[in-house]
């Protein structure tokens, strides 16, 4: 039994209870789409798009707009292409199996990246530079990134497998955006209910449901142990400490 097998079994791309792989409610998502306000015919790119649900919502909001989803997870890309086909968006939303940091196209009206800054060396500052470079003057950026809601405890760091310097404060995140020429138009953060539902429906919930349905499976005990570790790490560690901010920015 390997950790890779367990991670694959619990992968987000196969989890039909996840609309998006981030703590985000329908209401909050609608507010982000409204703040991004893509115009008819807009060109949109999502760097680290996953299966592209938010990208598709943005494209659907703007007649004649098109979207590029840039993603290396082949299972997520397959799910995204299937969703785009089901919604009549196959000609308007295209997925590219390319690392986000290697995407060289530019001149977009809107560039999006949610929870994918690790794709760039140097993480947050480099991700913001790449997003700024991807949009035309006057374009917009939607950037989702983690931050510390409060000073992380040892239990929070252990639960995340993180170091104190992996994230900064919300204000530091805003300052990083400003430093590359991006001005904040709207800053919102995932609330506790969004986080709790995300954790309940992502690794913890998916693993628990699978274990209940497969008591005799060779991976059963490993999945239960992984779920218990995640539950301890969240409820006993980083819940209320790790935040997720959504910055709508003007270039």
């Amino acid at each position: 039994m390997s950790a890779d097998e367990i991670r694959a079994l619990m992968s987000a791309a196969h989890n039909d209870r996840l609309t998006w792989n981030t703590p985000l409610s329908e209401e909050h998502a609608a507010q982000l789409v409204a703040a991004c306000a893509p115009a008819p015919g807009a060109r949109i790119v999502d760097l680290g798009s996953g299966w592209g649900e938010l990208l598709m919502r943005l494209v659907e909001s703007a007649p004649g707009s098109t979207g590029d989803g840039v993603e290396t997870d082949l299972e997520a890309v397959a799910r995204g292409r299937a969703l785009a086909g089901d919604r009549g968006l196959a000609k308007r939303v295209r997925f590219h199996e390319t690392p986000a940091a290697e995407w060289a196209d530019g001149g977009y009206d809107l560039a999006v990246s949610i929870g994918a800054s690790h794709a760039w060396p140097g993480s947050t500052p480099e991700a913001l530079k790449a997003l700024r470079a991807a949009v035309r003057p006057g374009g917009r950026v939607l950037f989702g990134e983690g931050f510390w809601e409060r000073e992380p405890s040892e239990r929070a760091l252990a639960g995340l497998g993180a170091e104190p310097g992996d994230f900064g404060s919300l204000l530091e995140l805003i300052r990083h955006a400003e430093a590359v020429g991006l001005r904040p138009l709207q800053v919102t953060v995932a609330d506790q209910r969004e986080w709790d539902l995300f954790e309940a429906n992502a690794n913890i919930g998916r693993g628990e449901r699978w274990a209940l349905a497969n008591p005799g499976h060779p991976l059963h005990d490993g999945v239960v142990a992984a779920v218990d570790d995640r539950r301890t790490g969240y409820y006993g560690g980083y819940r209320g400490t790790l935040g997720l901010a959504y910055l709508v920015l003007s270039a």
Side-chain angles (χ1 to χ4, degrees):
M1 180 189 307
S2 72
D4 287 343
E5 288 177 298
I6 293 171
R7 278 194 293 270
L9 185 149
M10 296 168 67
S11 72
H14 289 304
N15 190 342
D16 58 7
R17 295 202 181 191
L18 286 181
T19 303
W20 23 63
N21 192 20
T22 188
L24 184 66
S25 65
E26 289 284 346
E27 179 185 9
H28 196 167
Q31 291 169 343
L32 295 178
V33 170
C36 289
R43 293 181 66 234
I44 306 169
V45 64
D46 190 338
L47 299 172
S49 63
W51 52 88
E53 178 63 36
L54 191 55
L55 175 63
M56 285 184 266
R57 302 277 181 111
L58 289 161
V59 167
E60 287 171 331
S61 76
S65 63
T66 58
D68 289 309
V70 181
E71 177 58 58
T72 57
D73 184 333
L74 300 184
E75 293 177 345
V77 168
R79 178 176 176 180
R81 286 173 175 157
L83 286 171
D86 290 344
R87 287 151 74 164
L89 295 173
K91 293 183 178 180
R92 294 173 61 194
V93 176
R94 301 293 179 89
F95 288 87
H96 310 270
E97 298 163 12
T98 304
E102 295 178 12
W103 188 251
D105 200 357
Y108 288 98
D109 299 290
L110 171 63
V112 180
S113 186
I114 308 293
S117 65
H118 57 273
W120 287 269
S123 278
T124 299
E126 294 303 316
L128 285 163
K129 287 179 187 177
L131 291 164
R132 174 65 184 86
V135 296
R136 60 171 179 79
R140 292 189 178 179
V141 166
L142 171 57
F143 185 56
E145 179 64 304
F147 70 97
W148 295 129
E149 295 262 18
R150 59 188 180 189
E151 191 73 21
S153 67
E154 289 300 320
R155 288 195 304 172
L157 294 171
L160 287 166
E163 298 293 334
D166 287 350
F167 303 102
S169 69
L170 180 56
L171 182 58
E172 287 171 327
L173 181 56
I174 293 169
R175 293 289 184 251
H176 281 310
E178 292 172 339
V180 301
L182 295 168
R183 300 293 298 174
L185 297 174
Q186 175 178 289
V187 178
T188 55
V189 302
D191 63 26
Q192 196 60 69
R193 183 173 179 271
E194 287 174 306
W195 268 109
D196 287 346
L197 287 174
F198 174 63
E199 291 289 346
N201 286 310
N203 291 299
I204 294 173
R206 179 171 171 78
E208 196 69 70
R209 290 188 297 274
W210 183 91
L212 286 169
N214 296 274
H217 196 281
L219 292 178
H220 178 273
D221 291 349
V223 169
V224 169
V227 167
D228 287 345
D229 285 346
R230 180 76 178 220
R231 183 180 285 117
T232 298
Y234 178 60
Y235 294 107
Y238 62 90
R239 183 180 187 271
T241 297
L242 178 65
L244 200 295
Y246 298 96
L247 280 61
V248 180
L249 306 157
S250 172

